[in-house]
Amino acid sequence: MKVLLFLPREYKNLLLLGMRLISALDTAEERKAAIDKGLAMLKDGTITPPEWTSFGKTLGIFKIGKS
């Protein structure tokens, strides 16, 4: 992504982090759900532990009930 070359390092790193977080998700729907959930969590400026846990499940970090 050549556009990254023109971004300040801080924004480039934030974009790379976001891309990395959703890269393990299989479908466009899963990626959209993760992005939507992440943005919704940030609306009030704070993220609670239950929100982090829910976000982790959305990202597939916690595979509860799956072997």
Side-chain angles (χ1 to χ4, degrees):
M1 291 185 20
K2 293 184 182 203
V3 72
L4 292 178
L5 297 173
F6 299 104
L7 293 174
R9 181 182 302 244
E10 177 183 359
Y11 296 114
K12 176 181 169 182
N13 288 340
L14 286 170
L15 184 57
L16 291 171
L17 174 64
M19 290 169 39
R20 186 70 184 250
L21 284 171
I22 65 168
S23 68
L25 300 174
D26 297 328
T27 67
E29 293 81 19
E30 288 176 336
R31 291 187 288 277
K32 183 180 181 328
I35 292 166
D36 291 347
K37 183 176 280 284
L39 291 173
M41 285 182 355
L42 295 170
K43 275 190 176 180
D44 66 359
T46 63
I47 302 174
T48 65
E51 287 174 323
W52 274 118
T53 302
S54 177
F55 191 51
K57 289 177 188 175
T58 301
L59 293 173
I61 294 170
F62 302 113
K63 301 283 186 178
I64 296 174
K66 296 181 181 179
S67 301

